[in-house]
Every structure is written in C-alpha cells, then in structure tokens.
Amino acid sequence: MSTPGKLKRKAKGERPYFFDDPNIDRVVSMVMGLAGEVAVLHDRLDTLERLVAQHGGPARAALDTYRPDATVAASRAAWRESFLGEVLRIVEIEVEAMSSGDTQPYEQAIAAVENNGRARRQKK
Amino acid sequence: MNMPTENQAQAEHRALPPTTHDEYARQEFVRSFKEHLVKHVHGGNRAVYEAKVKPAFQQQHQRAPQTRFEVRDAMVREPHYQMFSTLLRTSQEMMWSSCQIPVQRNLTALNQAIAKRPKKARGSLTLDAALETPKYHTAVDIHCQPGGYHTEFVAEDASAGMVYDRAVYLYAMGQMGPYNNDIGASIVSWLQQQHPTFKPRRILDLGCSVGHSTVPYAQAFPKAEIHAIDVAAPMLRYAHARAEDLGVRVHYSQQNAERTNFADGSFDLVVSHILLHETSQTALQNIVQECHRLLGAGGLMVHAETPPYKGMDPFDAFLLDWDTRNNNEPFWARSHEVDLRALSRQAGFDPDLKFEELIPSAFQIAKAQRSNKFQGGDFGGGGLWFIYGNRK
Ligand SMILES: C[S@@+](CC[C@H](N)C(=O)[O-])C[C@H]1O[C@@H](n2cnc3c(N)ncnc32)[C@H](O)[C@@H]1O
C-alpha cells in the first residue's frame, strides 16, 4: 500500500535473484550501496579540499552549491572508475584470467613444473 | 545542432529537479557504475561463453547452441554471468533510488513549480483523468521504476517524470546527449537525408514520455504542428513544463495510442521511439492500425527501436534479451521477434512500402567512444537505431 506523498521504493514485480543462495545477491547489493556512499563521501571531501584551497576556509553553503566544472567532473569520473575497479576486482581478475588463458588448475600448473618444465598434454 | 559527447553533463532546465552536492554525487556514482560494468564486466560473459560454455555444449550435443534459449540455459549456471546480472540489476535499482531522493525531499514545491504554467504558453497540455492505464503497464513496473510511468503519489503529481528525466540520462550514461534526445534527433536527420523534400505539416509522437524525442521535431520543423501523446499523466505534466522551458511548441495530450481522438488522415508523419517494446502483442497491432488511420495519403509512419534478434548471433541475442526478465521489460523479447511485414499488412498498409533499417545515431562525434554493440545494460551504446515504418 502506498502512503500519499511517499514515492514507492520497490518496483512492482518479482525480483530476480541470480545465485543459488539469494543472500549472495543481497550482499552484493549492500556492498554496492556502500560503495556508492563512499563515492559520495569522496566527492564531498574533494569539494571541501578545493573550497578550502580557494577561500582559505570551508563554508557549508558554498559546499552545497558547489558544482564541479568539466575538468573536476572528469577527474572525479576517473577516480570512480578506478575505485570501482578496486571494489569489483574479484570479478575483473577472473575475466582477465579467462581472456589471457590463465585457467590452468593449480595442481596441473605445479605438476607441469615438476615434470621438468614440460607440461603434460592436456585434453582441451 | 550541437554534438554532445558522453562526458557532457545533462543539460539543465527549470523542470529538472535540483540536487544537493551529495545527491548529485550519488547519481554520478550510478553512471560510473553502469559504465564500469559495460567496460570491464560485460565482456566476461562472452569470454566464459567462448572458453567454457560453448565447448561444453558442443561436446555434449555435437553442435554449437543455435538459439538464445540454449545459450541461456547453459549460461545461468555460470558464476560470472550470475555476478554480472546481480550487479546490473543492482545498478538499475540504485539508479532509480538515487533519482528519487531529491524528488522526494522537495516533492510539494517541485510539483507546484511544474504546475505553474507560463502566462503565454507556446504549446498545451490536455489531461484525461478517465483514461485507463493499460494492463501491460500495471502488471509489473516497467524497467523497475517504482510506480512505473503512471503512478501519482499525490494529486497533480509529476514526480514520475522528474525521476525519469534524470534516470534516462544515467541509464544511457549520457550516450543520448545532454537532452536525452538521440532517438528523435536520429530520425530527424534520417528524414532530412532520405526525404529532403518531405516537409510534414502535422506530426504525432506516440508514447512520448517526457518528450525527449519529441523536441527535436519541433526544432527541425518549426512550421509544423506537433502533437505528442502518452497514457501517463505524470510524464505529460513534466513534458509540458520542459518543452515550455526549452522554448518549443508541442501539444501534449493524455491518450492511448491504440485509439486516439484525432481525425482520420490528420497527420503526415506519425512516429514513436522505443514505445513498441513496451506494449502487448494486441496493443502493438492496434497501434500500427491506428497509425494507418491517422496518416493521410503519402504520409509516413516511423517507429524506432533497438534491432530485432533475427539474424543475430544467439549469444548476442541472449544478452540483448537480458532486460526481458531481469529489468521488468516483459514484452521486450516478443517485440524483437515480430513479423513486421505481416504487422504492416494487417494494419492496412501496403507491405511493399514497408521499410526497416539501421540508421546512424545523430551523435556521430561520440561514436568513436562507444562500445558499438547492442548489449544488455549499454543503452545507446550501439551508435545505431533500428527503424521500422511504412509509407501510406
Ligand atoms: C520508453 S517510454 C518512451 C520514451 C520516449 N518516446 C522517448 O523517446 O524519450 C514509453 C512510453 O510509452 C507510454 N505508453 C505505453 N503504451 C502506450 C499507449 N498504448 N499509448 C500511449 N502511450 C503509451 C508509456 O507511458 C511511456 O511513457
């Protein structure tokens, strides 16, 4: 039921969960929510530092009306890009491994070394 | 027309809800999050498919997967695909949430500002409180916007339009330009190139939402009378305020495109932009039929969409189909598989005058930076739009 004047927060329709255990999906959602709030804090701090440098002292009102110009916006976008790379590192290193063919099981890789550097022929 | 690039911020106009520092930063995060998924996570699906899923399928069936369903059944068990999907879905939820926050904070004042009509309006707004919202819009909230296009959370509410205007910019990651108008602008430039002598006098835009695609027609054909309809009142209230703010003349009215109150033969150009994939099969037939009724002899119907699955690699079709189940786009898949020739014929058009093609995005300049792929979660990244239409 909706309360007048209150925007609904959930989209109507059953939400899909992708992992066998839906709690994994929930944790991902929390982690990304947290990441978003960290990015907000980062931008706020960044603004503060720039304003301090500009005015010699922080002003709350100036902070709230501050709008990044194109250069600042681009540098923040770049910051978020690498920040996301860190947060999502586990997903992305797996993609990298796959694309570079770094998929040999651990034991096999070790066995290949112990086999005088000659990898045993593997079935593809 | 100026040529925006993805790095340009969304163009501000009076109707766009103001944001505080942190609200804006939160929205910018969502945009970066979506871009990051496209650039660094999306490709992993293809990599897993080629390296693992396809060979396993081939081993078992002595052939590669032939349909997007076969690809799907094999992919849903892949951890990378699961992680990609849960991230993409989360980004979509965060997008709506981040756009709702500034609207909710100031709802009454924002609605008042939108309701306040300029003394000398160029265009007009005609609402019809009795119009029924089609069932295909109330079954689930389309592309996960809570409350969909139609819900009014207070009387005279335009909040769905406010949230939508900002969210579309984040969803397309700016790839539809600072005015979110790439689809309309692309058809306009296609018309100017392919039909240079065509000077439509009356134009109708179906399912216009907040008028992102409508405005380019008003700019390109200043002498034409432009009408735009939608079933959702919150969208139209916002669309009207926005058009007045941008200084263009558009007549917005709340009507169902399946059956409008315009006279037979009263338009020489009827267009829609990403409307068809959000309607049911029956509604789709009704809409094309209605286009036929509304056009005068020699008139032109043009609908823009993302491309059909036909002839597409099953893996690409599988990923393009992601939204059907996972982003509450229940009619997306079916609308990409319609027999367009039959659709035209049933509606009364001469099927020999039917056309379908891929047309370039108006924002050529941004093209080099795009992924140049149609893929789930990369809206506008294709750099091309699919159009289907018919001359009468
Ligand atoms: C994806 S939006 C269209 C976006 C818009 N044309 C643009 O290019 O920015 C789909 C819109 O179609 C409207 N709609 C859906 N079915 C409709 C119908 N039968 N008649 C009129 N509008 C409809 C929805 O309310 C929604 O605003």
Side-chain angles (χ1 to χ4, degrees):
Chain A
M1 278 292 94
S2 73
T3 326
K6 195 110 179 62
L7 272 56
K8 230 172 116 197
R9 302 288 282 158
K10 173 175 183 310
K12 184 178 176 187
E14 187 200 349
R15 189 197 197 276
Y17 290 88
F18 301 93
F19 290 99
D20 294 335
D21 181 351
N23 282 323
I24 299 179
D25 297 79
R26 294 191 181 103
V27 172
V28 170
S29 166
M30 292 177 205
V31 170
M32 292 317 298
L34 214 52
E37 297 310 307
V38 171
V40 169
L41 282 178
H42 171 271
D43 281 7
R44 194 166 183 88
L45 205 57
D46 182 60
T47 300
L48 202 59
E49 284 166 2
R50 289 173 196 273
L51 286 174
V52 169
Q54 240 172 59
H55 299 300
R60 214 174 232 287
L63 191 68
D64 264 321
T65 52
Y66 179 88
R67 266 287 175 282
D69 63 21
T71 321
V72 176
S75 96
R76 288 181 180 186
W79 181 87
R80 289 191 298 268
E81 171 64 16
S82 68
F83 169 66
L84 279 158
E86 286 305 309
V87 175
L88 296 175
R89 191 186 48 85
I90 186 69
V91 182
E92 287 159 25
I93 58 171
E94 285 166 6
V95 175
E96 188 186 310
M98 234 143 20
S99 336
S100 65
D102 177 12
T103 52
Q104 202 177 25
Y106 189 80
E107 302 301 343
Q108 258 179 36
I110 302 303
V113 174
E114 288 182 340
N115 211 10
N116 286 334
R118 271 189 305 117
R120 246 178 284 138
R121 284 187 81 81
Q122 285 162 40
K123 268 219 225 117
K124 252 273 172 145
Chain B
M1 178 159 291
N2 76 328
M3 299 287 221
T5 69
E6 283 83 339
N7 294 325
Q8 244 176 300
Q10 182 172 7
E12 305 216 354
H13 50 86
R14 257 189 321 132
L16 191 70
T19 45
T20 63
H21 178 281
D22 291 8
E23 287 165 349
Y24 187 77
R26 191 174 290 110
Q27 295 177 350
E28 285 285 280
F29 175 77
V30 172
R31 182 159 77 113
S32 291
F33 182 15
K34 283 182 171 287
E35 268 174 28
H36 194 88
L37 291 178
V38 170
K39 281 198 221 147
H40 303 290
V41 181
H42 197 288
N45 290 312
R46 173 62 92 173
V48 171
Y49 179 69
E50 295 296 344
K52 194 173 147 196
V53 174
K54 195 168 152 190
F57 188 100
Q58 265 162 338
Q59 184 119 70
Q60 201 185 340
H61 301 272
Q62 319 306 321
R63 61 171 177 81
Q66 279 158 355
T67 66
R68 64 189 163 85
F69 303 103
E70 286 181 345
V71 176
R72 180 197 61 200
D73 291 346
M75 285 294 289
V76 290
R77 305 255 53 86
E78 281 307 313
H80 182 81
Y81 174 72
Q82 294 172 335
M83 184 56 81
F84 159 77
S85 295
T86 208
L87 287 169
L88 191 54
R89 171 75 185 208
T90 297
S91 76
Q92 190 70 1
E93 291 167 350
M94 287 174 72
M95 175 186 85
W96 292 116
S97 178
S98 72
C99 294
Q100 283 185 324
I101 291 169
V103 172
Q104 179 72 76
R105 175 171 59 80
N106 215 1
L107 185 59
T108 312
L110 290 170
N111 270 330
Q112 278 165 357
I114 285 187
K116 212 169 125 213
R117 308 278 165 74
K119 281 214 189 65
K120 277 214 311 242
R122 294 162 192 266
S124 62
L125 173 67
T126 313
L127 298 179
D128 173 8
L131 186 76
E132 220 183 299
T133 305
K135 287 220 174 49
Y136 47 84
H137 271 209
T138 53
V140 298
D141 287 340
I142 302 266
H143 47 231
C144 300
Q145 175 169 2
Y149 298 103
H150 55 278
T151 303
E152 303 181 83
F153 298 100
V154 281
E156 312 269 303
D157 193 12
S159 65
M162 303 178 209
V163 170
Y164 180 82
D165 189 12
R166 185 73 188 135
V168 168
Y169 183 77
L170 300 178
Y171 182 64
M173 300 165 287
Q175 294 178 124
M176 298 210 290
Y179 291 96
N180 286 327
N181 66 359
D182 189 38
I183 314 180
S186 300
I187 295 193
V188 165
S189 61
W190 176 82
L191 282 170
Q192 287 166 340
Q193 277 155 32
Q194 302 299 316
H195 301 275
T197 57
F198 182 51
K199 295 275 177 280
R201 284 154 305 147
R202 282 174 53 93
I203 302 174
L204 175 62
D205 183 16
L206 307 172
C208 60
S209 291
V210 299
H212 287 150
S213 300
T214 319
V215 172
Y217 294 90
Q219 290 162 336
F221 304 107
K223 294 226 179 80
E225 185 173 315
I226 316 243
H227 291 263
I229 65 170
D230 202 285
V231 283
M235 294 287 147
L236 293 166
R237 292 190 181 102
Y238 186 89
H240 176 56
R242 181 176 182 271
E244 294 301 322
D245 234 42
L246 297 178
V248 294
R249 186 192 313 279
V250 179
H251 301 287
Y252 288 102
S253 58
Q254 188 177 12
Q255 300 196 53
N256 189 326
E258 296 177 62
R259 197 174 43 223
T260 68
N261 64 15
F262 300 111
D264 291 4
S266 54
F267 290 95
D268 27 29
L269 177 61
V270 179
V271 292
S272 85
H273 314 83
I274 55 173
L275 162 72
L276 301 188
H277 76 271
E278 291 182 4
T279 59
S280 69
Q281 178 89 41
T282 322
L284 179 58
Q285 272 158 11
N286 293 343
I287 289 171
V288 177
Q289 226 156 45
E290 181 68 358
C291 290
H292 184 262
R293 184 184 75 76
L294 292 174
L295 284 175
L300 202 58
M301 163 182 87
V302 188
H303 302 286
E305 274 295 336
T306 52
Y309 298 161
K310 190 177 56 189
M312 197 179 270
D313 167 69
F315 181 82
D316 288 336
F318 155 71
L319 275 187
L320 188 57
D321 195 42
W322 188 90
D323 289 70
T324 301
R325 170 63 188 96
N326 300 318
N327 193 23
N328 283 5
E329 290 279 8
F331 313 108
W332 176 283
R334 196 256 316 122
S335 76
H336 284 76
E337 292 174 329
V338 176
D339 179 345
L340 296 170
R341 197 179 156 83
L343 187 65
S344 274
R345 190 178 345 94
Q346 280 159 14
F349 283 105
D350 176 353
D352 290 335
L353 299 180
K354 184 217 78 161
F355 54 90
E356 53 179 274
E357 58 183 285
L358 287 169
I359 65 167
S361 152
F363 302 131
Q364 289 291 353
I365 205 166
K367 212 176 155 194
Q369 297 165 18
R370 292 179 180 179
S371 63
N372 283 310
K373 268 198 180 136
F374 291 97
Q375 50 189 15
D378 185 17
F379 200 76
L384 295 166
W385 296 104
F386 173 76
I387 59 170
Y388 149 66
N390 222 116
R391 192 173 261 292
K392 183 170 170 181

